[in-house]
Amino acid sequence: MSSPDGASAKNQSAAVTVAAPPATVFAIVADPRQHTRIDGSGSVRAAVSGPESLELGSTFSMSMKMAAPYKISNKVVEFEPDRLIAWRHVGLHRWRYELRPTADGGTEVTETWDLSHYPAPLRLLLSRLFGVKTQQAIEATLPKLKAAAEADAR
């Protein structure tokens, strides 16, 4: 796993290569019901509402817990089947998964916590407050996604 943008005040990001085709990986990240399966943060509890397969404009809600339980609603704001999906909630930051096919039939997956839609001072503040914890969560999620996709591909 690598951290292409981990030190940036703009985004937190990491990548992993998965021995499964992009469609298999995408099926997992585009299904909110599978997010508990791959969550490395320990905060995702369950999908509350939403379609089985997300698309541009889809909304979905998740049951979460960070100190106290809460529900969060999200909207898919970037979408390209088997290549890219990103969603956001009330904040301007986005959770993004970018998939690139590899020569051997696998997939390079980059997960990003994208703060680029915030003004610079707020972006820096959010990065300082949540950047390290978010980077750790991304780096814990990607191995789970890798294991899930490779199991599904068998």
Side-chain angles (χ1 to χ4, degrees), residues 14-51:
V16 67
T17 300
V18 178
T24 301
V25 178
F26 196 81
I28 295 169
V29 296
D31 179 356
R33 287 155 191 77
Q34 295 200 53
H35 291 185
T36 55
R37 182 181 183 200
I38 63 169
D39 173 46
S41 71
S43 63
V44 178
R45 298 296 183 227
V48 175
S49 68

Side-chain angles (χ1 to χ4, degrees), residues 101-139:
T102 60
D104 61 0
T107 308
E108 182 186 43
V109 181
T110 302
E111 180 182 358
T112 303
W113 184 55
D114 178 7
L115 299 175
S116 67
H117 298 273
Y118 285 104
L122 190 50
R123 188 170 54 229
L124 183 58
L125 175 65
L126 288 170
S127 183
R128 285 187 178 161
L129 289 173
F130 302 109
V132 170
K133 185 175 181 179
T134 300
Q135 186 68 35
Q136 291 169 342
I138 290 170
E139 290 176 4

Side-chain angles (χ1 to χ4, degrees), residues 37-92:
R37 182 181 183 200
I38 63 169
D39 173 46
S41 71
S43 63
V44 178
R45 298 296 183 227
V48 175
S49 68
E52 287 184 24
S53 184
L54 300 170
E55 58 187 37
L56 187 63
S58 292
T59 58
F60 64 101
S61 297
M62 303 298 291
S63 175
M64 309 283 291
K65 183 175 182 185
M66 287 177 43
Y70 64 98
K71 289 184 175 67
I72 193 83
S73 294
N74 303 281
K75 182 176 182 177
V76 177
V77 293
E78 297 177 58
F79 187 86
E80 186 180 337
D82 300 338
R83 305 283 290 189
L84 170 69
I85 188 166
W87 56 81
R88 63 176 284 246
H89 49 80
V90 295
L92 297 177

